[in-house]
Amino acid sequence: MSLPHWEETPADLPAAIREVKAALRRQIAASGRTVEEVFAVVERSIAAEVAEINAARSRGETIWPVISYDDIEAGTVSAADVARLRKRGCLVVRGHFERSQALGWDAGIVQYVEDNNFFSDYRGPGDDFFGSVGSKPEIYPIYWSRAQMEARQSDRMARVQTFLNSQWKHTSEGVQWFDPSRDSLYPDRIRRRPEGADSAGLGTHLDPGTLDLWMTEAYQQAFRHLFNGDVEKYDPWDAAYRTSGPQYPGSTMCSAFRTFQGWTALSDMAHDQGVLHTVPIPGAMAYLMLRPLLSDVPDDEMCGVTVNQVFPATDKWHGLLLEALAGIPDVQAGDSVWWHCDMIHSVAPVQDQKGWGNVMYIPAAPWCPRNKTYAATVREAFLSGSSPSDFPAEHYEREWPDRFTEADLNETGRRGLGLI
């Protein structure tokens, strides 16, 4: 049974939502199971994981797995640690970079923006989402500093990205969906939150897409087991069909396929100082994708998901999932933090923050058709010092003479930008 699909944003969103939901319900019913029966299978599985997480929390255990960079480099990560990473879908890499190097990068970024009069030229947040944190600024729309590019193209980053990519099934049905050993150097911004800051944080959301997850042909294939009624076969670590499809445009879109979102700490951060939280259940995507098909959701709604906004996770529709929200442990400058691209996450609010809260956003975005296409636009932005096309068109760095240049790229950097 073929589903209706829209490879570009539908002109009449409510009508398209009604049409695709009716078709998905029919397709699930053709399996001999109702939507309610299929969702109940998912809900029982998720409820068991939530209970397990809360029990571990009550015992004082750290929910987030922690693995040392040295073990990743030496290939000595234990089977138990790998299993925990795959179960929880998130990871802290201890000592990913030397603390002194991370602190040096942090200082270098400050020098970079001050030398180029960023603070006097800053025009305020360029998007509604990060603009909500209320800082001045907290998110710096800077992409091409020496610190960011040195980290992106470093051997240590490449090793961790390859390790994380390798948790995914990247070859199936005779197709290599992505190359786990080559990253596309997806450029993102930095966050610098000063000591004593008050921040509203960021609410629970996820970033793999919006309505395109239900409405484009590639994602309908990626979530085929959910939409065919055989939900037991759904594997959140299967990259099939995710690496070539389109995404509906918007101010919060990500044109690249990321196996993991991530950031590298540029300061020490305590676990209770406005840090990242996730719902550490990779399979929760099954719940999120099927929940709008239940009868208590209006036919022209998708539990709050729409275009040009992040995919929200709310108590109204996803309360069970949010019970498992778990924050990172204390981290030091040089540690890195990673979470599966489908996972619900948030940043806790903080008042009178103790210590700085500084990070470089660097994900794992392996080379694949989708990322190769985006890399062409990234390459142009890099060469001109422009903001990448996924981000607001602020372009602060175009005239900055000391930004990272093509001559500074190593082989990893050139490969990541598609220059070789």
Side-chain angles (χ1 to χ4, degrees), residues 306-325:
T306 187
V307 296
N308 209 29
Q309 296 178 24
V310 294
F311 188 132
T314 63
D315 282 320
K316 180 177 181 179
W317 303 116
H318 313 115
L320 173 64
L321 303 178
L322 299 186
E323 289 179 32
L325 199 65

Side-chain angles (χ1 to χ4, degrees), residues 237-256:
W237 297 99
D238 185 356
Y241 303 101
R242 288 173 172 246
T243 59
S244 58
Q247 189 173 45
Y248 294 163
S251 62
T252 59
M253 72 181 297
C254 177
S255 297

Side-chain angles (χ1 to χ4, degrees), residues 53-105:
I53 289 165
N54 285 331
R57 201 194 321 258
S58 70
R59 294 191 297 268
E61 297 174 13
T62 299
I63 304 302
W64 276 65
V66 178
I67 294 175
S68 77
Y69 172 79
D70 290 344
D71 281 339
I72 293 173
E73 183 179 49
T76 54
V77 179
S78 70
D81 278 342
V82 170
R84 194 153 180 259
L85 162 60
R86 291 174 59 83
K87 184 174 182 60
R88 292 284 164 252
C90 54
L91 178 66
V92 173
V93 177
R94 286 274 186 243
H96 188 164
F97 296 100
E98 294 291 337
R99 184 169 181 272
S100 58
Q101 180 170 41
L103 293 173
W105 279 336

Side-chain angles (χ1 to χ4, degrees), residues 285-303:
M285 198 65 180
Y287 188 109
L288 291 156
M289 295 302 294
L290 292 170
R291 184 67 184 86
L293 304 182
L294 296 185
S295 59
D296 63 334
V297 183
D299 280 345
D300 60 355
E301 287 190 24
M302 284 291 198
C303 296

Side-chain angles (χ1 to χ4, degrees), residues 3 123 170 225 249 261 307 347 356 365:
L3 293 166
R123 298 183 294 273
H170 48 81
H225 296 303
Q261 293 176 253
V307 296
V347 178
W356 283 79

